[in-house]
Amino acid sequence: MDESRLELKVGALVLAAVAGAFTLLVLMGEVSFGGGKTLQVDFAHTGNVVKNAPVKLGGVVVGKVADVELLASRRDTDGTPMPVKMTLAISNDAVEALRSDVMVTVSSVGPLGESYLELWPGSAGTPHDPKLAVRGTDSPRIDVVSNRLAKFLDAASKVLDSDPEVFTKLIGGVGGLTTTVDGVLTENRGEFKTMAVELAAAAKDLRALAAAARTQLEPGGKANALIDDASATAKLARAELPELSKQASVAIGGLARVSGQFTEEDGAKLRAMIAKYQAAGEKVDALATRADRLLAKIEAGEGSVGAVMKDPAVYDELKALLTDVRKNPWKLLWKD
């Protein structure tokens, strides 16, 4: 009877231990219930994140790192090594909250705490495609920073060994430069102020010019109409130029055929004919000049014809004489 009670007590103790361990695993995120989805994340370095490390969104655990895979020869499109591939197992709600600009960063619980992954869902309008891998943000490499800092300190030590006064000179130079700049700014404060005013005015003019240009380029503006006219002209030129070129080619060909039949003697005759026409033209010009002079004298009343034109009495007498001759033509042969 005592042995049966002892066995019951041991069994109850074992069951309590198993239940406590299971509860602890659930609380630590090692065991989860319900469905979930995976998310692929690429890193250049793990950042000390290991398998089964928690994945948080807004500081709340939403999953864990299901697998960490090393792809030693993998590189990105820029040639940068990308050897780490992590598979995250996260809840459905967390996956649905991810957008196309989702970010995955490496964080830690305190300065010396364990590393984990933090999800930033993103703010883009399109959701993230679970089939696409996310480029994780690598954590700062303390070893790389320490190495670079050591190189810098080594170089600074060499400079100090070669010239112990280098930092004193540097500080003195910086102080002198500061004093010089302060003096220049103090002496030319008015000029700088004027320059600032001019720059502000120029910026205002540029804004006005940009506004005017925008107005002119809008539909209905002069610049837009000019562009339309230029486009129409170019279209017309493209349509007409081939035909004009064809006509010009025909005309040039005809001229070549005609001119090819002329000899040197024909050219001399043609030049002589042109010279005669020029001489005749000069004579015509001379006759026209004389006629202008004669008409001018007549209009001025000079000479008989001018007197007849200008004196009404002479004109009337001449008219009466001609009338009398027509009526009595015998008076030309016989006088009373």
Side-chain angles (χ1 to χ4, degrees), residues 6-171:
L6 180 60
E7 290 177 356
L8 289 174
K9 290 180 180 180
V10 172
L13 182 61
V14 172
L15 288 176
V18 171
F22 184 77
T23 303
L24 181 61
L25 291 175
V26 172
L27 294 176
M28 292 177 62
E30 300 294 334
V31 178
S32 60
F33 299 98
K37 295 183 179 180
T38 59
L39 178 68
Q40 304 294 331
V41 185
D42 296 331
F43 285 101
H45 190 271
T46 61
N48 299 321
V49 175
V50 297
K51 184 178 179 180
N52 293 325
V55 178
K56 299 182 180 181
L57 191 154
V60 179
V61 177
V62 294
K64 66 178 181 178
V65 178
D67 186 28
V68 178
E69 184 179 359
L70 177 63
L71 304 174
S73 61
R74 188 177 65 165
R75 295 177 178 270
D76 62 7
T77 56
D78 298 329
T80 304
M82 196 66 57
V84 178
K85 178 181 180 181
M86 293 188 184
T87 302
L88 311 184
I90 57 179
S91 64
N92 293 329
D93 294 338
V95 172
E96 293 176 358
L98 301 182
R99 317 308 294 174
S100 59
D101 58 343
V102 58
M103 294 177 61
V104 182
T105 59
V106 178
S107 186
S108 62
V109 182
L112 302 178
E114 65 171 345
S115 299
Y116 67 92
L117 296 182
E118 181 73 28
L119 294 178
W120 184 72
S123 58
T126 56
H128 172 70
D129 186 359
K131 298 179 181 179
L132 300 178
V134 177
R135 175 62 174 94
T137 303
D138 297 315
S139 62
R141 296 281 301 278
I142 297 178
D143 53 342
V144 175
V145 174
S146 300
N147 187 23
R148 292 179 179 176
L149 181 60
K151 291 182 179 180
F152 172 76
L153 293 176
D154 184 55
S157 298
K158 292 180 180 179
V159 172
L160 285 174
D161 292 339
S162 61
D163 187 3
E165 302 294 332
V166 62
F167 284 108
T168 304
K169 294 178 181 178
L170 178 61
I171 294 173

Side-chain angles (χ1 to χ4, degrees), residues 4 14 19 24 29 35 59-60 70 106 133 158 181 187 206 213 220 229 286 313 334-335:
S4 299
V14 172
L24 181 61
V60 179
L70 177 63
V106 178
K158 292 180 180 179
V181 172
E187 293 177 1
L206 286 176
D229 293 342
W334 183 263
K335 296 183 180 180

Side-chain angles (χ1 to χ4, degrees), residues 264-298:
E264 185 176 356
E265 183 179 357
D266 294 333
K269 292 180 180 180
L270 182 60
R271 286 193 294 271
M273 185 180 300
I274 292 173
K276 289 182 180 180
Y277 276 115
Q278 288 179 346
E282 292 176 355
K283 291 181 180 180
V284 171
D285 290 339
L287 291 175
T289 302
R290 292 181 180 178
D292 290 337
R293 293 177 180 175
L294 181 60
L295 290 174
K297 289 182 179 181
I298 292 174

